[in-house]
Amino acid sequence: MKSVIPVGLYDSGIGGLTVWLALKKIIDEDLIYYGDLKHVPYGDKSREEILFYSYNIISFLQAQGAKLVVAACNTSSALALPKLHSTFKMPIFGVIEPAVEKALATTKNNRIGLMATVATVKSGSYQNLFSKVAPHTKVFAQACPKLVPLIEAGILQGQLVTEALYEYLDPLINQGIDTLVLGCTHYPFLLPEIQKIVGDAVQIVDPAWQTALNVQSWIQEHGARSQEVTQRQLNFWVSGNPAEFQKRAAEFIGYQIDKVHYHQPPEALPDQIEQLISKLSIKWGDD
Ligand code: DGL
């Protein structure tokens, strides 16, 4: 008899809920979401810190019984996943490959804009993947450090958002892009405001949907579908204030979560981080 085995996903905070929404719509599986509120934003953290947070969250989701994990976070996908893929037995999906796949299927003039966190832009993950699979494309990357703190604070419109968006989008529009990748899972919450500024001539790519489709294909190809049940379990864990997360989730995705559990993550002390890096024999700069 088939059993019910959940799919895990995580982000630094509320942003991964954009991927959660797509997964909930596309796959019929139990979901366990982890929001690392203690460490949000990831975008200004070092690659070592991001690796440490990601490793511990994936381990937690694995201990919760997840059959696969989705890094619903570009920053973790860019900086940690290349180092962690071989560490875990279960598959781990990132959001960067699906974003690039979708952007290439969308662009007509091969001029693609990317909005992402400072850490994601600096990692060069998007730029490298585009130049590997489609060297004829031109990618214009824009770091957008003001956006995640605004979104986490529940501010999705108004002067602060508009000013920040013009600052980040003007340089991309000036490059004549026809496709814009939202390279941070928080940004789709600003979609109406972004679309207003870039206009209808620019197609916006939210990687969540392609990611969910890729997960669906994997589950089907591997015969890993959970058995049908009348109601799916949708569990939420955070490393910060559960009530805050519950409130924000209701505002942002219109989903009333019954209960958000608190999880205390391991302290990200420099020697703990170093120990993990040496335990996993991680070397930087060899990607
Ligand atoms: N939502 C995440 C991303 O996709 C993390 C943003 C942050 O915490 O800075 O990059």
Side-chain angles (χ1 to χ4, degrees), residues 147-194:
L147 300 184
V148 168
L150 285 170
I151 296 165
E152 285 288 328
I155 304 169
L156 302 187
Q157 52 193 18
Q159 199 188 342
L160 288 175
V161 169
T162 308
E163 277 174 15
L165 286 179
Y166 271 109
E167 177 187 336
Y168 300 142
L169 289 169
D170 272 345
L172 299 178
I173 296 167
N174 290 340
Q175 293 294 346
I177 59 163
D178 74 348
T179 301
L180 176 65
V181 177
L182 303 186
C184 168
T185 53
H186 281 73
Y187 302 166
F189 288 127
L190 301 178
L191 189 64
E193 302 302 307
I194 294 172

Side-chain angles (χ1 to χ4, degrees), residues 11-12 15-16 40-44 72-75 117 120 148 183-186:
D11 179 45
S12 60
V40 67
Y42 279 7
D44 62 5
C73 171
N74 289 264
T75 312
T117 65
T120 300
V148 168
C184 168
T185 53
H186 281 73

Side-chain angles (χ1 to χ4, degrees), residues 37-51:
L37 300 182
K38 181 168 182 192
H39 301 121
V40 67
Y42 279 7
D44 62 5
K45 303 295 189 303
S46 69
R47 60 191 182 183
E48 290 82 0
E49 287 170 308
I50 294 162
L51 181 105

